[in-house]
Amino acid sequence: MWHVNQKASSFLGTLSLNVFLSFALTGMQLWQLAEVAGPMMVILVAEVVFMALFAYFVTFKVMGSDFDAATIAAGHCGFGLGATPNGVANMTSVQEEFGPAPRAFFILPIVGAFLIDFTNSLIITIFVNIAQTMM
């Protein structure tokens, strides 16, 4: 049976992330983004407000208005503002603070990772094929 050294794994992950970020940021020309900073902030604030309202008034209510629903709503916020790993990280934070929510950890990864990601890849492939046939 294999044993994974958690400290070594964490160290390598941190090191790899730092190397990636240093390479990625070295080539960026941030001054070129200055002219779009204002509109980006407006869009970001609107997205956060809309996601919070949707998570509370739709997700939390539809899922039953209990602790599992709150955990799913937190995961939905992470998913809506980023990706499935963000949602899982949000739910993990809620779980560490307030206790386990097994239903939430069953629902969000399945819906987020499998159904939505696979559906998106299928839809993108279909539209790319349609666009290629029209050219």
Side-chain angles (χ1 to χ4, degrees):
M1 175 155 218
W2 293 91
H3 174 72
V4 176
N5 186 335
Q6 293 295 328
K7 286 184 181 181
S9 176
S10 177
F11 174 76
L12 286 175
T14 302
L15 180 68
S16 299
L17 178 63
N18 288 333
V19 169
F20 167 74
L21 289 175
S22 64
F23 282 134
L25 293 175
T26 301
M28 288 186 70
Q29 298 170 348
L30 294 176
W31 60 88
Q32 292 178 341
L33 296 176
E35 62 191 37
V36 295
M40 279 178 32
M41 286 304 293
V42 170
I43 291 169
L44 180 63
V45 168
E47 184 179 9
V48 168
V49 168
F50 178 75
M51 191 67 241
L53 291 172
F54 190 87
Y56 178 73
F57 288 109
V58 178
T59 306
F60 181 68
K61 303 291 184 187
V62 168
M63 295 309 295
S65 300
D66 59 357
F67 176 68
D68 277 328
T71 307
I72 292 170
H76 189 208
C77 284
F79 184 76
L81 296 173
T84 303
N86 296 23
V88 172
N90 283 2
M91 292 191 318
T92 301
S93 296
V94 171
Q95 177 178 342
E96 288 174 355
E97 183 73 25
F98 299 106
R103 186 176 69 166
F105 277 91
F106 179 73
I107 292 173
L108 188 105
I110 290 174
V111 170
F114 295 113
L115 298 179
I116 291 176
D117 290 345
F118 289 144
T119 304
N120 281 346
S121 65
L122 180 66
I123 290 170
I124 289 169
T125 303
I126 290 170
F127 279 109
V128 166
N129 289 336
I130 290 172
Q132 287 177 350
T133 59
M134 296 176 89
M135 290 184 172

